[in-house]
Amino acid sequence: MSGPTTDTPAAIQICRIMRPDDANVAGNVHGGTILKMIEEAGVIISTRHCNSQNGERCVAALARVERTDFLSPMCIGEVAHVSAEITYTSKHSVEVQVHVLSENILTGTKKLTNKATLWYVPLSLKNVDKVLEVPPIVYSRQEQEEEGRKRYEAQKLERMETKWRNGDIVQPVLNPEPNTVSYSQSSLIHLVGPSDCTLHGFVHGGVTMKLMDEVAGIVAARHCKTNIVTASVDAINFHDKIRKGCVITISGRMTFTSNKSMEIEVLVDADPVVDNSQKRYRAASAFFTYVSLNQEGKPLPVPQLVPETEDEKKRFEEGKGRYLQMKAKRQGLTEPQP
């Protein structure tokens, strides 16, 4: 099936071999490492496209990552093949769809490990607070544009719905009991340096996602005390840019457990310590789902979360709703069609 066409390359692919520092102690590549590679491919193709016509130069900034499932684990020594393609453009945003394959270079076997959809906005190099217009792409079928517009409107609505959580923070608790939210909640404080940023002084979306996955992994490991892997990431919303020199706090707390999975909410707050004119703000938020594995890589039962406060019980019920909704969606996809 042919896709949209432009004067610039319609798709790109990047490859990299997985090293020991990309993986956990069991040899499974961190979900955050894969998310960072996905974002790198997305920012390359979207920035190229947004600069494909004469006009003010820009860089594409990550605004949102749709839900992505980790379909199979990737291991040390395998090669990741990350393919990215632009599938829709609105006036001020670009949709990029990314596929990740893992290759065993000893046998030549390849398998699909991830599919993701990312949204970018072009920011002017002269003023990174100015959003520029996106050159339109040409669709081979009218249905492609209509389907893309529906996806655009849906993600725009969902982004608006996440803003109400901006005041929510994770508070530490002394001497928490095992299996409670407070027992496993974790935070990481990171000073944003030049290596975290684009040439224009704000943090790569992939860097933020990798840190978010790291914190979520710590929460999951503290809760079940086994080998854990990322199973999926619900939509990641980037509410505001993070500039070089900010101190960011990435906080994670468990919100829901099923028999074999854990949902963890991760919040990213930025504190511009070198700028007294700006207050601390919510920069990003997402829900990560983890599973517990035994030494053979088989799923293990998860200790059930014990919510204590009314807020924790409310978040547990909301997480249960997301879990059941996604479970029903998966079952609908696997049922034979009449």
Side-chain angles (χ1 to χ4, degrees), residues 170-223:
V170 177
Q171 297 284 6
V173 175
L174 293 176
N175 303 317
E177 293 293 324
N179 299 335
T180 61
V181 175
S182 302
Y183 184 80
S184 59
Q185 70 182 27
S186 305
S187 295
L188 183 154
I189 298 175
H190 179 76
L191 175 63
V192 175
S195 62
D196 300 318
C197 298
T198 67
L199 295 174
H200 313 99
F202 55 89
V203 176
H204 288 287
V207 170
T208 305
M209 290 193 291
K210 192 172 187 295
L211 290 170
M212 293 172 79
D213 179 73
E214 184 176 333
V215 169
I218 293 171
V219 173
R222 278 180 168 171
H223 180 77

Side-chain angles (χ1 to χ4, degrees), residues 179 223-225 254 257-259 261-262 292 301-305:
N179 299 335
H223 180 77
C224 60
K225 294 179 169 47
M254 194 157 298
T257 53
S258 66
N259 290 333
S261 67
M262 301 163 275
S292 173
V302 171
Q304 291 306 288
L305 182 66

